Amino acid sequence: MASCGCDAAGPQGKGSRSLIPYEDALDQLLARAQRIGETESVRLTEALGRVLAEDVSSAIDVPPAANSAMDGYAIRLDDVQPGGETRLRVTQRIPAGEVGEPIEPGTAARIFTGAPVPPNADAVIMQEQVCTDGDEMFFTAEVSAGQNIRAAGEDIRAGQVILEAGTRLRAQELGLAASVGRDRLQVCRRPRVGIFFTGDELVEPGKPLGPGQIHDSNRYTLTGLLQMLGCEIVDLGIVGDTLGQTLEALQKASARTDLVITSGGVSVGEEDYVRIALEQLGELDMWRIRIKPGKPLAFGFVGDTAFLGLPGNPVSVFATFCLFVAPFIKQLTGAREVLAEPFTVSAAFDWPKPDSRREFARARLIREADGGLAAELYPNQSSGVLMSTCWADGLVEIPEETSVKPGDPVRYYAFRDLIA
């Protein structure tokens, strides 16, 4: 049988050698992400980073009653002497957590931040504007209605939706839920992701290298990235370069997970058993994407379990995870915000040679003399230089057929936004 080096069937036709634009590949990928339908109730202390499965409404007003915004004295406006000194007798003390009595004419209540304001008090005058004399207080400052009083429901009204389904929960969302009395939240089940790696040349860290061998770094890069996204990981480790072992690993991983990820082994070579195994067990698309690094990407299914095959080079693994895998996983969870938003900074580099592919260069931000932000690039942008991903804090996007001069505006994606 004759063999050739053409690509496997892809979304643009069997044997097509055309490159897929970045946006088209991303749209096709996200369109096939099957949202995880299972949910679970978790305590607030376990909800950080999870995705809300339902809207959260408040059953109460926050604050539940009008309260003082600072330490001072609660008074009635009818007792204030306009343009002169106001002197009032202090008849009660209201700390936070206690409820005072209505204010009698000619009197004031010593009140502290967060304490409920008596129902007939019109204002709170801060203690810095007040002098005391025995059981009396006096002041000359002007006072207006509602001054230094937080109204009931000023922050949240009863029945108001405070958190929407699809929200990825940060510390502030947990605090907001707690402020309305919620101690548990309904969230999407964590995505279960299976990983395995093929290659007889791979050796675990801590073991000596033989001739032609390398340490397996991709396993640990992927594990860390998946942990940052809150995934449950089924790690099958390094799988031998045989079709039988690859079939077994793929069947085992797909039976227990929502997504299987591998790096390398999905090309058209005779030793690329992941591709052969996936074609036997399910369906496979081989995509050649108009980006650099990370042109090859494999996508398919074994039953209902999605499969993503990443390139083998360490930087390409990292970049394609940021650009494709992370949004796919977020889509699985039903997250509302799937794609990272770039922001514009100045280029602190020269990129004189345009490329036909869109490039995502490893970069980090620096502060310019005028206070603005600029991006500088790691000197070596090779896809095998893993050190660049540690040096950088984001990716600069350089469009197709585009050169860049120092000072030009460029789009910058922070790692913290891509993997969050």
Side-chain angles (χ1 to χ4, degrees), residues 28-302:
Q28 291 180 47
L29 185 68
L30 295 181
R32 300 192 67 184
Q34 301 174 6
R35 179 176 175 179
I36 298 169
E38 300 170 50
T39 66
E40 58 184 345
S41 175
V42 299
R43 298 187 64 82
L44 290 185
T45 52
E46 301 166 346
L48 185 66
R50 304 296 294 272
V51 175
L52 267 181
E54 61 184 14
D55 291 347
V56 175
S57 299
S58 176
I60 61 172
D61 287 337
V62 178
N67 67 85
S68 179
M70 58 184 56
D71 295 347
Y73 295 84
I75 60 175
R76 301 183 326 133
L77 286 181
D78 287 346
D79 292 325
V80 176
Q81 300 298 319
E85 180 184 275
T86 297
R87 183 175 288 265
L88 301 170
R89 187 163 58 89
V90 180
T91 58
Q92 55 181 312
R93 183 177 185 275
I94 311 174
E98 295 187 12
V99 178
E101 300 293 331
I103 297 175
E104 297 293 335
T107 70
R110 179 73 166 112
I111 196 167
F112 297 88
T113 303
V117 174
N120 63 338
D122 300 306
V124 172
I125 184 166
M126 68 176 67
Q127 63 186 20
E128 291 84 356
Q129 295 178 316
V130 172
C131 296
T132 59
D133 180 14
D135 65 351
E136 291 186 331
M137 54 85 80
F138 58 96
F139 62 91
T140 57
E142 294 185 3
V143 184
S144 59
Q147 179 174 307
N148 299 322
I149 294 177
R150 301 188 188 106
E154 181 178 278
D155 185 10
I156 299 167
R157 289 289 186 184
Q160 177 183 342
V161 174
I162 60 169
L163 294 171
E164 295 182 355
T167 299
R168 185 172 292 276
L169 297 167
R170 304 168 297 172
Q172 51 266 53
E173 279 84 26
L174 301 185
L176 184 62
S179 75
V180 301
R182 294 290 295 265
D183 66 334
R184 303 187 72 89
L185 295 172
Q186 199 72 19
V187 298
C188 175
R189 172 177 60 74
R190 292 184 186 275
R192 300 188 187 108
V193 181
I195 56 175
F196 66 88
F197 307 88
T198 62
D200 290 337
E201 77 281 8
L202 298 179
V203 175
E204 282 294 310
K207 296 181 179 180
L209 294 176
Q213 293 183 322
I214 58 172
H215 288 302
D216 181 13
S217 63
N218 288 342
R219 178 182 184 182
Y220 298 93
T221 298
L222 280 175
T223 297
L225 291 168
L226 291 169
Q227 288 173 335
M228 292 175 70
L229 287 173
C231 299
E232 293 182 12
I233 302 171
V234 178
D235 186 354
L236 300 183
I238 298 174
V239 174
D241 264 342
T242 69
L243 180 58
Q245 291 183 66
T246 305
L247 283 166
E248 181 182 359
L250 191 55
Q251 288 173 314
K252 186 181 296 184
S254 62
R256 304 162 56 189
T257 62
D258 307 295
L259 170 66
V260 177
I261 302 175
T262 66
S263 65
V266 288
S267 186
V268 294
E270 296 177 4
E271 301 297 318
D272 292 325
Y273 293 116
V274 175
R275 174 183 60 83
I276 299 170
L278 193 63
E279 289 175 335
Q280 289 188 15
L281 296 175
E283 59 175 294
L284 172 67
D285 284 335
M286 294 289 290
W287 293 348
R288 300 174 71 248
I289 304 172
R290 193 176 292 129
I291 63 169
K292 184 179 180 180
K295 178 173 65 176
L297 184 72
F299 175 69
F301 284 91
V302 178

Side-chain angles (χ1 to χ4, degrees), residues 371-392:
L373 289 175
E376 61 178 356
L377 301 187
Y378 192 75
N380 187 343
Q381 290 288 322
S382 168
S383 60
V385 182
L386 193 55
M387 178 70 77
S388 64
T389 63
C390 299
W391 176 91

